Amino acid sequence: MPIKRYPNNPILTKENIPYPVATVHNAGVVKFNGRYIMIFRSHKLNGRSILGKAESDDGFHFTVDEKPFMVPATEGVFGEYEEYGVEDPRVIFLDGEFLITYSAYSRHGVRIGLAKTKDFTTIQRISLITESDYRNVVIFPEKINGLYARLDRPHSEISPWSIWISYSPDLIYWGESRLIMRPCKYHWDEMKIGPGAPPIKTPRGWLNIYHGVFPTMDGCIYRLGVALHDLSDPSQIIAVGDDWILQPEEPYEITGYVHNVVFCCGAVPEDDGTVKLYWGGADSVMCVGTANIEELVDRCLNNSRQPL
Ligand code: BMA
């Protein structure tokens, strides 16, 4: 398979977290001043989620902060919509600051919050950028034709869990939304798909590492796949790889808080053409693997399925 698992996975478990949590998973990761910054999700012991932070020199060995990085707001509009927790952060660097999208859960459902930081010590919430029944929003790490762009994942009964695209002039107001990719019938991603890591720019297109879900008599299986989007018009999907690139195979991916899950929120492209891919194993632990970016692009182009 194209992803080489790091032999010492998992790289973080709840034992590495200095405060009481049940899990450490679904982390966004970026490079900042040559170091790797990981923003991860943890279930507290009441079942609701918070975000923690860890740092590393090599992308494999992480040290966790003494205190959580972001806990649900208690006041104002964010307090109302984060009451049940904050989950699954994605982080990008754009125009001198880091942007973090996260799922905000409350009695009104799940919607997406956007926060920013320049240094990972202070954090400022900007806006709640979707209504409810959205998760998995990744912002492209560059403006495209003068606009911010994001991949979305709204859900409706008529068109369940598909990938959409939207644009914004200011990160607050989003529009020009279009559905661009659907789950594929009787296929590993037949039930749900959603954006995973923020898109990676390659000479042949934006590489989108997404997750797909297949329902079985034994529960759902979460796997990862790849799609390639046009560089100047990412609403155009050039190709979607027919095969998954990663599925739960190791004991720490097969058994845990939720069985049979590999779930990706972060990937760090390196100068040597490889990418470090980070995923949560069984909603319990953090894992890392490496892949060659051009090989992942080839996987999209050489054996494709239709996006719609
Ligand atoms: C999704 C989200 C993810 C989770 C996955 C598997 O719906 O809740 O955070 O990793 O299910 O449980």
Side-chain angles (χ1 to χ4, degrees):
M1 292 309 274
I3 311 287
K4 245 181 40 209
R5 284 180 174 80
Y6 177 59
N8 293 332
N9 275 343
I11 52 170
L12 284 180
T13 70
K14 65 179 179 183
E15 280 74 36
N16 303 117
I17 313 300
Y19 40 90
V21 293
T23 65
V24 38
H25 64 300
N26 298 4
V29 185
V30 275
K31 265 191 179 168
F32 174 41
N33 289 340
R35 307 197 77 211
Y36 296 77
I37 308 285
M38 174 187 282
I39 306 296
F40 59 82
R41 168 181 173 193
S42 286
H43 283 101
K44 294 192 300 174
L45 305 189
N46 64 3
R48 294 183 179 176
S49 293
I50 55 174
L51 305 182
K53 172 167 147 279
E55 291 187 40
S56 167
D57 286 326
D58 64 2
F60 298 104
H61 302 86
F62 281 86
T63 309
V64 180
D65 282 10
E66 284 301 312
K67 296 229 156 62
F69 176 68
M70 188 172 161
V71 297
T74 50
E75 290 175 352
V77 67
F78 291 98
E80 181 175 354
Y81 288 96
E82 295 178 9
E83 182 191 7
Y84 293 172
V86 288
E87 307 188 354
D88 296 5
R90 272 81 172 187
V91 192
I92 58 146
F93 183 71
L94 208 170
D95 289 346
E97 56 195 14
F98 295 93
L99 300 175
I100 305 174
T101 47
Y102 59 94
S103 301
Y105 272 83
S106 73
R107 65 189 68 199
H108 309 306
V110 55
R111 63 191 303 201
I112 297 297
L114 173 65
K116 66 178 181 182
T117 179
K118 280 200 156 81
D119 52 12
F120 291 99
T121 50
T122 56
I123 179 162
Q124 192 189 336
R125 284 169 171 83
I126 301 177
S127 184
L128 291 152
I129 57 171
T130 70
E131 297 161 302
S132 68
D133 268 345
Y134 276 79
R135 290 177 38 87
N136 308 309
V137 169
V138 297
I139 298 180
F140 285 74
E142 275 181 22
K143 285 188 181 171
I144 297 170
N145 304 320
L147 295 174
Y148 296 98
R150 75 183 195 201
L151 299 177
D152 280 342
R153 204 245 44 206
H155 169 64
S156 70
E157 260 176 51
I158 295 176
S159 180
W161 300 292
S162 302
I163 296 180
W164 293 55
I165 195 163
S166 307
Y167 300 91
S168 171
D170 57 5
L171 290 172
I172 295 174
Y173 298 99
W174 294 83
E176 307 276 334
S177 303
R178 282 178 55 194
L179 186 154
I180 55 172
M181 188 171 150
R182 283 184 200 284
C184 179
K185 265 282 161 243
Y186 213 74
H187 194 255
W188 65 269
D189 61 359
E190 86 154 6
M191 182 184 174
K192 306 181 183 193
I193 57 170
I200 296 168
K201 194 174 194 185
T202 82
R204 289 185 283 173
W206 289 102
L207 180 68
N208 164 16
I209 298 169
Y210 73 99
H211 65 260
V213 185
F214 187 81
T216 77
M217 293 302 286
D218 192 29
C220 291
I221 305 178
Y222 275 75
R223 300 184 173 97
L224 302 178
V226 274
L228 195 65
H229 300 235
D230 186 83
L231 282 179
S232 55
D233 178 4
S235 71
Q236 299 301 317
I237 297 190
I238 301 167
V240 184
D242 193 54
D243 298 340
W244 65 71
I245 58 160
L246 190 77
Q247 71 155 347
E249 280 177 13
E250 296 295 329
Y252 50 81
E253 296 160 342
I254 292 172
T255 313
Y257 197 85
V258 180
H259 296 180
N260 287 316
V261 177
V262 292
F263 195 92
C264 176
C265 295
V268 177
E270 304 286 6
D271 293 339
D272 65 359
T274 63
V275 59
K276 287 192 181 65
L277 195 73
Y278 295 88
W279 64 90
D283 283 4
S284 296
V285 296
M286 270 314 296
C287 307
V288 61
T290 52
N292 179 290
I293 294 175
E294 290 306 312
E295 265 177 37
L296 294 179
V297 172
D298 287 340
R299 300 269 299 196
C300 299
L301 293 167
N302 295 347
N303 179 20
S304 314
R305 76 151 170 96
Q306 291 300 318
L308 294 171

